[in-house]
Amino acid sequence: KGVDTMPRIGEVIREYRLKAGLTQAKLGEKVGIAAAHQKRIAEWERGARTPMGNHLLKLMAALKIPPEAFDEYKAVNDQ
């Protein structure tokens, strides 16, 4: 328990981005991230940063990620 879940959240984001056929840059555009900050998508996917609040909601909407997708990955870390 208590294992860092950031990489798992990133895995969910990457999985759904690839399913949607989007590049990181295109996803950034969809969620309103300025071109100068496009590296943020890669940081989220690697687990270097965690999307918070509005960014997480926009990611979920843009990629059609159901909330339970994150529960599945969290459960793996809680074992």
Side-chain angles (χ1 to χ4, degrees):
K1 292 191 186 234
V3 175
D4 189 0
T5 59
M6 285 195 316
R8 296 295 185 184
I9 290 171
E11 289 173 20
V12 172
I13 294 167
R14 184 173 192 276
E15 175 186 337
Y16 278 81
R17 176 181 62 78
L18 293 174
K19 280 184 190 177
L22 295 173
T23 63
Q24 290 177 344
K26 287 289 182 194
L27 178 57
E29 289 174 19
K30 283 178 119 359
V31 299
I33 295 182
H37 299 286
Q38 287 293 315
K39 67 179 182 174
R40 185 142 315 153
I41 302 290
E43 292 172 340
W44 290 337
E45 289 185 359
R46 282 195 324 270
R49 298 181 87 151
T50 301
M52 298 291 187
N54 202 31
H55 281 139
L56 183 56
L57 293 174
K58 287 180 177 182
L59 284 167
M60 291 173 71
L63 298 174
K64 298 181 174 91
I65 301 173
E68 57 272 10
F70 295 113
D71 293 342
E72 173 187 331
Y73 285 97
K74 185 178 183 311
V76 170
N77 283 327
D78 285 346
Q79 292 179 1

